[in-house]
Amino acid sequence: MASTKVQSIPENALNPISVIVYARNEAKSLEKYLPNLFNQNYPNFEVVVVNDRSWDGTDDLLERLAKQYTQLKVVTVAEGDKFIAGKKFAVTMGIKASSYDWLVLTDADCEPASANWLMGMQQPAAESTEIVIGYAPLMKKRGFLNVMIRFETFFKAVNYLAYALKGKPYMGVGRNLAYKKSLFFKNKGFAAHMHIAVGDDDLFVNSNGNRNNTEVQINKEAQVWGEPKTSLIAYLREKKVQKGAKVLYKSGHKLMLAIQAIAYFLFYAFTIALLCFKATLYLAIGVFVLSLIVRCLIYPRLLKRLNYGELRWWFPLLDIILFVFVVFNSFLSIFVKKVQWK
């Protein structure tokens, strides 16, 4: 079920919340964005910042901020052989230290779209809800790379949000995701995929989400803006890392996404092939124009609703470029096997 409104609810009817913020060498981001979390129109919440082996001055910054904000709780993961290095271990430590059952997760380089963010993420329509999948657009920056990254993020978001609305949640993003602490520990947290660096968000939803316990929240006031990658290398590395989690998706979800990807590839592949022959040239043009008309009825409205409205005039071109990028990245991933995670 989708939540599209942020309404006023009596304070005694609101669940207390623990906001979990993951940070690794994010002193600049924390100084810029963390204070905004304490301006939320919500009566009872804490902010748990997990400082994961940082060496950039994050410790000193959090110590100073803790004196200023009484709702701030700091969990520090230090370097050492006793620890299983990685984001999942750090997030687990933050969850263990949290005080409340409802958790709202985000990252240090993210900013709530409004002071009603927590209010929006904590209005489950059903008592059975244990997971709320939020939406997290990326900030607008200069350059064509930013345009492509944001369009690809939109494309992916439409997919996982649509499937979740159909009762088939297969992923969420850690920049804006809520779930119950009791659900986390009942299903042993990240234990099933602790051996890989990624999946603290999508694999958790993939393993634990279903049509009865998962809702979607896309109201603009309940969104979270994230910092996009600013270099092509960093972006390609991120895509490579994310791809490592998909191999552990449920079989039905993998098949569903594979069919979709194949259909997407075949559409452009056959269109290009038909354009190469005189006998099928007009057929190819007709098919492409028809598909363009259909998408013109859908994409612009979705782009506007998901905070990428300025891209709606360019989506036909961006869709073609995205196809080329997907093909390029697929071939690249065959030859580049080593993956790094911060």
Side-chain angles (χ1 to χ4, degrees), residues 313-333:
W313 310 111
W314 302 98
F315 83 85
L317 177 61
L318 293 176
D319 195 55
I320 295 173
I321 297 175
L322 179 61
F323 167 73
V324 175
F325 170 78
V326 169
V327 173
F328 167 76
N329 194 41
S330 298
F331 280 109
L332 187 66
S333 64

Side-chain angles (χ1 to χ4, degrees), residues 192-255:
H193 44 86
M194 186 66 83
H195 59 289
I196 66 171
V198 293
D200 58 283
D201 46 12
D202 59 340
L203 284 177
F204 182 82
V205 174
N206 195 270
S207 301
N208 299 286
N210 57 60
R211 68 171 55 249
N212 298 315
N213 75 346
T214 303
E215 293 185 16
V216 172
Q217 174 57 272
I218 57 174
N219 181 272
K220 287 192 175 183
E221 290 190 331
Q223 296 175 11
V224 170
W225 288 94
E227 287 273 4
K229 298 299 181 183
T230 56
S231 75
L232 181 60
I233 297 300
Y235 178 58
L236 291 174
R237 184 182 295 120
E238 180 182 60
K239 300 307 295 180
K240 178 67 176 179
V241 167
Q242 292 172 350
K243 191 175 180 179
K246 289 180 172 58
V247 298
L248 295 181
Y249 280 12
K250 292 177 181 177
S251 298
H253 293 154
K254 287 194 288 187
L255 178 61

Side-chain angles (χ1 to χ4, degrees), residues 21-89:
V21 182
Y22 175 78
R24 176 164 166 79
N25 293 323
E26 294 281 6
K28 292 183 179 179
S29 294
L30 287 169
E31 188 169 22
K32 183 177 181 181
Y33 298 123
L34 188 60
N36 295 329
L37 297 187
F38 300 100
N39 296 326
Q40 289 293 302
N41 294 327
Y42 205 85
N44 191 4
F45 71 96
E46 66 176 0
V47 177
V48 181
V49 177
V50 186
N51 178 17
D52 183 19
R53 298 164 292 142
S54 300
W55 62 83
D56 67 340
T58 296
D59 305 67
D60 296 334
L61 174 66
L62 290 175
E63 184 178 352
R64 174 167 57 83
L65 291 175
K67 296 176 181 178
Q68 185 177 355
Y69 302 104
T70 58
Q71 295 154 294
L72 176 59
K73 180 185 293 184
V74 178
V75 176
T76 301
V77 179
E79 288 283 7
D81 295 334
K82 295 181 180 180
F83 298 120
I84 304 172
K87 183 178 180 180
K88 290 177 185 174
F89 177 78

